Amino acid sequence: MAGSAPAEAETTGDAPGATPAALPAAERAALDEAIARLEDGSRVWAALTLDQRARLLGRVRDAVGAAAEDWADIATTSKGLEPGHPLSAEEWLGGPYAIISLLDALRETLQTLSKGGNPLDGVRLDTAPGGRLRAHTFPLNGTERLLLSGFTGEVWFQPGVTAADARREAGLAQLTPTEPAGVGLVLGAGNVASIPAADVLYELVAANRVALLKLNPTQDTLLPVFEQALAPLIEPGFLRIVRGGAATGAYLTSHPGIAHVHITGSAGTFDAIVWGDPARPASDSDAGAGTTAAAQKGEPSLTVPITAELGGVSPIIVVPGRWSAADLRYQAQHVATMRLVNAGHNCIAGQVVILSADWPQREAFLRELHAAYTAAPVRPVWYPRSDERLAAAASDYPDAVWSADGTRALVEVGPHADATAIETVEYFAPVLGVVEVRGTGQEFLDAAVAHANEKLTGTLGANVLIDPATEEALGDGFERAIADLRYGDIAINTWTAFNFLTARLTWGGFPGATLADVSSGIGIVHNALLLDRVERSIGRGPFRPFPRSMGDTLRRVRLARRTVLPTPPWFVSSRTGAEVSAGLTRYLIDGRVPGLVRTLAKAMRA
């Protein structure tokens, strides 16, 4: 039956049906002791000045730098690849690079607050569509301008938030640093190595909450790395890291010493934690599926607040224009990257391409997409139960085109075919769908936005590809359409992974989710400027890489983005992605210009 495939997103190993009593007494005692030590650490944290906290994050940065190589290598091998494999770029960028960037940005925010400043000092504020306040939070320094030339990022506040409101509220719990918030439980993601550490840092800085981190079993091999990298937080009692499965998670979520829960995972696991439905099977965990039977039972079983990042089905809206052969090829590789990074095991992955049925270049683009999708490096599909999800896709779409030894599906859904499964089930595996709507120009864009909002499960991330000339022709209509997209993160001519990796942007579902209808989650993370009442973050990148990007400038296309960057290192088609990503991370660690020069030279050969 269409839509019946399991879609577990990033599970936490806390399967429905587990009970605290299933945990041996010795393990319960060890967890009790860890929580008791964290309660002591919470009082120590509350006694630190903002400057002391900033200096502590500097020590964490040093420790992450020392562990970076092991971090990337172990994460790479845990996914069935050899260290140094071209696709290990993902582990450098999605591991130590992301955490060092976040630490630097959080530390700057703490330093600013400690001196009586405001996190929004030096940040340009203006108005976005609908009268919303917008903060231009990337780039804010020379390093960001150099390493990601042509990329920009914005944070949009919720309607009604004024500039005075935003400045007054910026800082979150660091505005009242002596008020501890107890011990938070972080149920870590199992797919991307930076997520557990980033979530711990956000708990500590945004909420004044020390953390007990329970690793997903898929990341158990990284425990020694996390213990080394986060040692400056572990030593004073601000963090404890534990391993375990469903019984451990069940014990911790019901522990009286836990004041808050944060989960990165699936809506099914979220519902099991919140509503305590032991009858809901672990396989029935469709991310963003809405109100469940458990949620209809009345009062939640979880008695403390919870925040969550839960994924969904992300659209890739391809706005028709006049594209060159090189544009078609490059953007097809871009789309393939959005689906195939980390073998598709990403809440961040694009899953449904929305094309115009009336685009004259539709067939040419699809030919390039099939070629790029097939040609991308073959890799293990490693996440637990991915074989079941691929089998479900094969059942739902018997006409799908398979490649990579039968581990990769591309589904073109015809105008009269059933798109329910591809649009509502987060496969969390290499399954990419293509659907069509009518129209060109503004008519298409409005229809595509409505389709994404109304047909696709979840509200986490949306991607839009549009050439500068078409964007310029649409004018204000383009920005209005972007405002109409109900997603917490939007990427224009880049992938929402840019938003995820950019510390001063926010990451999370569109506001409005509830315990009973959690969609893509509740709350945000990253958010290094500690901004409140955020609606979404928007990343923008160059439509064409260097040197082709210079052509738009010469043609005086107003919205062209000047960039000196070639193919980004995160593209699955990048020949030097691993070397470039490792080099960029090392530059963040040591700031050595000769190494950066060598890295940029390698980037030009991508």
Side-chain angles (χ1 to χ4, degrees):
M1 181 178 68
S4 63
E8 282 195 64
E10 307 101 298
T11 63
T12 63
D14 306 304
T19 63
L23 198 66
E27 293 185 37
R28 293 199 300 269
L31 294 173
D32 292 345
E33 174 67 15
I35 292 171
R37 297 288 71 78
L38 286 167
E39 289 171 340
D40 293 338
S42 178
R43 291 185 284 273
V44 176
W45 174 259
L48 296 182
T49 66
L50 296 182
D51 183 65
Q52 288 172 324
R53 295 175 186 189
R55 284 189 275 121
L56 175 63
L57 294 190
R59 289 178 53 211
V60 178
R61 184 195 199 280
D62 293 341
V64 171
E69 189 118 15
D70 285 344
W71 187 327
D73 286 349
I74 292 172
T76 298
T77 56
S78 73
K79 298 176 182 181
L81 302 172
E82 293 296 321
H85 188 284
L87 294 176
S88 66
E90 303 165 7
E91 303 309 329
W92 281 99
L93 295 177
Y97 178 95
I99 294 302
I100 290 173
S101 298
L102 180 60
L103 284 163
D104 284 346
L106 288 171
R107 185 171 56 164
E108 289 176 16
T109 294
L110 288 172
Q111 289 170 337
T112 296
L113 289 167
S114 72
K115 297 172 184 176
N118 189 282
L120 286 170
D121 289 346
V123 177
R124 180 165 64 93
L125 302 176
D126 63 9
T127 303
R132 295 171 175 86
L133 178 70
R134 170 172 55 188
H136 296 264
T137 63
F138 185 92
L140 289 184
N141 57 52
T143 298
E144 292 173 344
R145 292 184 183 91
L146 174 64
L147 298 186
L148 284 166
S149 164
F151 288 78
T152 60
E154 311 154 12
V155 174
W156 291 19
F157 293 87
Q158 295 175 19
V161 176
T162 66
D165 294 334
R167 289 184 60 84
R168 183 178 63 254
E169 296 165 357
L172 298 179
Q174 298 309 305
L175 299 177
T176 54
T178 60
E179 298 178 11
V183 179
L185 170 63
V186 174
L187 297 172
N191 63 330
V192 175
S194 65
I195 294 176
D199 290 348
V200 163
L201 290 169
Y202 197 66
E203 284 285 285
L204 195 60
V205 179
N208 268 349
R209 209 161 21 235
V210 299
L212 177 65
L213 168 61
K214 191 194 84 63
L215 294 182
N216 183 292
T218 64
Q219 299 220 354
D220 280 353
T221 57
L222 281 165
L223 176 60
V225 171
F226 289 147
E227 289 178 333
Q228 177 187 353
L230 303 176
L233 300 181
I234 296 172
E235 291 160 1
F238 305 149
L239 171 66
R240 287 291 185 272
I241 307 175
V242 299
R243 296 186 294 184
T248 303
Y251 183 74
L252 291 172
T253 54
S254 60
H255 197 287
I258 295 297
H260 179 273
V261 175
H262 177 79
I263 172 179
T264 300
S266 72
T269 304
F270 176 93
D271 286 341
I273 291 169
V274 172
W275 302 101
D277 181 15
R280 182 178 173 88
S283 63
D284 186 16
S285 54
D286 302 340
T291 304
T292 65
Q296 297 170 4
K297 291 190 173 181
E299 291 297 317
S301 297
L302 186 69
T303 58
V304 297
I306 184 170
T307 51
E309 190 265 272
L310 304 177
V313 175
S314 293
I316 306 167
I317 298 173
V318 180
V319 183
R322 295 180 62 183
W323 293 11
S324 68
D327 294 336
L328 293 167
R329 188 174 308 112
Y330 176 80
Q331 293 300 347
Q333 293 170 352
H334 199 174
V335 172
T337 293
M338 295 180 195
R339 176 72 270 185
L340 296 178
V341 163
N342 201 22
H345 309 313
N346 283 338
C347 65
I348 208 170
Q351 180 166 305
V352 175
V353 180
I354 304 178
L355 283 183
S356 166
D358 302 313
W359 186 23
Q361 294 180 291
R362 169 188 166 278
E363 289 297 331
F365 178 76
L366 285 173
R367 283 195 299 272
E368 292 290 354
L369 180 57
H370 276 273
Y373 200 67
T374 301
V378 177
R379 63 181 300 165
V381 179
W382 62 271
Y383 205 78
R385 300 178 57 215
S386 294
D387 56 340
E388 296 177 22
R389 292 189 278 277
L390 291 174
S395 175
D396 290 329
Y397 297 104
D399 295 329
V401 177
W402 290 83
S403 58
D405 301 324
T407 62
R408 193 179 295 170
L410 204 161
V411 178
E412 290 186 46
V413 183
H416 304 296
D418 186 1
T420 301
I422 199 70
E423 293 185 333
T424 62
V425 175
E426 185 185 9
Y427 284 101
F428 212 65
V431 179
L432 179 66
V434 179
V435 301
E436 296 180 354
V437 300
R438 308 295 306 193
T440 58
Q442 193 70 50
E443 178 190 11
F444 164 80
L445 182 56
D446 290 343
V449 167
H451 190 98
N453 285 341
E454 297 164 11
K455 300 290 187 181
L456 272 57
T457 289
T459 65
L460 182 59
N463 309 276
V464 181
L465 303 178
I466 182 169
D467 67 273
T470 301
E471 183 179 349
E472 187 169 307
L474 293 179
D476 292 342
F478 177 75
E479 292 297 319
R480 176 186 53 74
I482 295 301
D484 288 341
L485 263 175
R486 294 195 297 270
Y487 287 81
D489 278 271
I490 298 171
I492 302 166
N493 290 333
T494 182
W495 174 29
T496 47
F498 166 76
N499 300 36
F500 177 86
L501 291 173
T502 301
R504 293 186 183 90
L505 296 182
T506 60
W507 184 253
F510 196 76
T514 64
L515 294 182
D517 186 1
V518 72
S519 188
S520 287
I522 297 171
I524 56 175
V525 291
H526 304 175
N527 186 27
L529 291 176
L530 304 181
L531 305 177
D532 201 10
R533 290 195 282 169
V534 167
E535 181 182 65
R536 70 184 84 193
S537 285
I538 296 181
R540 302 177 194 255
F543 178 75
R544 299 179 174 97
F546 181 84
R548 291 192 301 111
S549 58
M550 306 310 292
D552 287 324
T553 302
L554 294 174
R555 289 193 297 270
R556 299 180 184 275
V557 179
R558 184 174 60 86
L559 294 179
R561 289 183 163 257
R562 297 178 180 87
T563 182
V564 296
L565 292 180
T567 299
W570 56 83
F571 268 42
V572 292
S573 56
S574 173
R575 292 173 295 190
T576 59
E579 297 170 285
V580 172
S581 299
L584 293 176
T585 305
R586 292 188 181 106
Y587 175 71
L588 288 187
I589 293 169
D590 60 30
R592 294 177 182 171
V593 173
L596 177 62
V597 171
R598 289 192 295 271
T599 295
L600 295 179
K602 291 174 182 175
M604 293 299 172
R605 299 196 297 270

